[in-house]
Amino acid sequence: MTGVEPSALPATAALADLLQLRGCGGWLTPPLRPFHRGAGALLGAARTVRIAAGPGGHGLKPLHALLAEDLAGRVVVIAGADAAPGAVWGEILTAAALARGAIGALIEGSVRDVSAIRRLGLRLWALAEATAGPGGAVHVAEIGGPLEIAGVPVADGDPILLDDGGAVALPTADADRLLADALTYHRAEEEVLAALTAGLRLPRAYTPKAEAITRLRNH
């Protein structure tokens, strides 16, 4: 699924709207905010890391080991990093992740070296920016397990849609159907914009989206 062409992907806003229509969640933005958005849509697979307070047995070394494995098409998802007083992610980890094929990172905590991260080009969302590192205040509690980040449950391997509008996580079992329905919603919005460009007024131009909402609400 990570090799889907961008033209076959909905915007994150369309996917979030669809989930909202059906009484579901999944969007991580906010509370995560962009530090580097990138251009165009990408669909990746979550690689989950859970951080916990306290020095633990190995500190953050398991995270460093993870960034040495094959991360092609992966989005590194780090929950619990807000337990650290400083940043748990910066230029070095970004360079390591990119070298192993990662396409993005979602950090429930602080990051630093933002200018360097933008230059390197990794798509990155986090809660805040910090100058100092994490010190010895946190440790990796688990890698590859299910977690909750920004109130959204994410399992290792779950699809994550990224674009310049944000990040949305999907349960693997329903991902194909949700992405297809969100693409229908997205294309209906494009029809509205085309109609407005052609000179129609909004009440008439909005018809394709209104019809799509009716069809998709309980599909």
Side-chain angles (χ1 to χ4, degrees):
M1 187 180 297
T2 56
V4 178
E5 289 296 322
S7 60
L9 292 171
T12 53
L15 180 56
D17 278 2
L18 177 75
L19 292 168
Q20 196 172 50
L21 275 176
R22 294 177 178 173
C24 303
W27 54 92
L28 299 157
T29 45
L32 303 186
R33 62 187 183 92
F35 287 87
H36 181 63
R37 297 175 184 268
L42 288 177
L43 187 65
R47 189 71 175 103
T48 56
V49 181
R50 184 168 58 84
I51 301 288
H58 301 286
L60 294 178
K61 288 182 180 179
L63 174 58
H64 299 169
L66 177 145
L67 295 175
E69 69 180 42
D70 182 5
L71 294 172
R74 292 286 201 155
V75 178
V76 180
V77 179
I78 301 181
D82 51 346
V88 299
W89 190 274
E91 182 179 9
I92 290 174
L93 299 193
T94 294
L98 283 168
R100 302 304 298 152
I103 63 170
L106 306 173
I107 314 296
E108 190 179 40
S110 296
V111 298
R112 66 179 182 181
D113 308 325
V114 173
S115 294
I117 290 168
R118 289 174 180 152
R119 185 179 68 253
L120 288 166
L122 184 74
R123 298 176 188 228
L124 177 68
W125 283 261
L127 289 179
E129 186 174 0
T131 302
V138 293
H139 68 282
V140 174
E142 185 178 21
I143 287 178
L147 50 77
E148 186 174 289
I149 177 171
V152 175
V154 177
D156 196 72
D158 276 354
I160 307 282
L161 182 65
L162 306 174
D163 68 9
D164 58 4
V168 182
L170 293 167
T172 299
D174 297 328
D176 288 339
R177 177 178 57 85
L178 290 169
L179 286 166
D181 288 349
L183 187 59
T184 296
Y185 184 100
H186 177 103
R187 287 172 175 165
E189 291 194 316
E190 290 181 328
E191 288 184 52
V192 173
L193 291 169
L196 289 169
T197 300
L200 269 67
R201 295 185 180 182
L202 182 58
R204 284 190 61 195
Y206 196 81
T207 299
K209 182 173 178 179
E211 291 175 346
I213 288 171
T214 300
R215 291 196 310 271
L216 295 168
R217 188 183 301 275
N218 297 310
H219 185 255

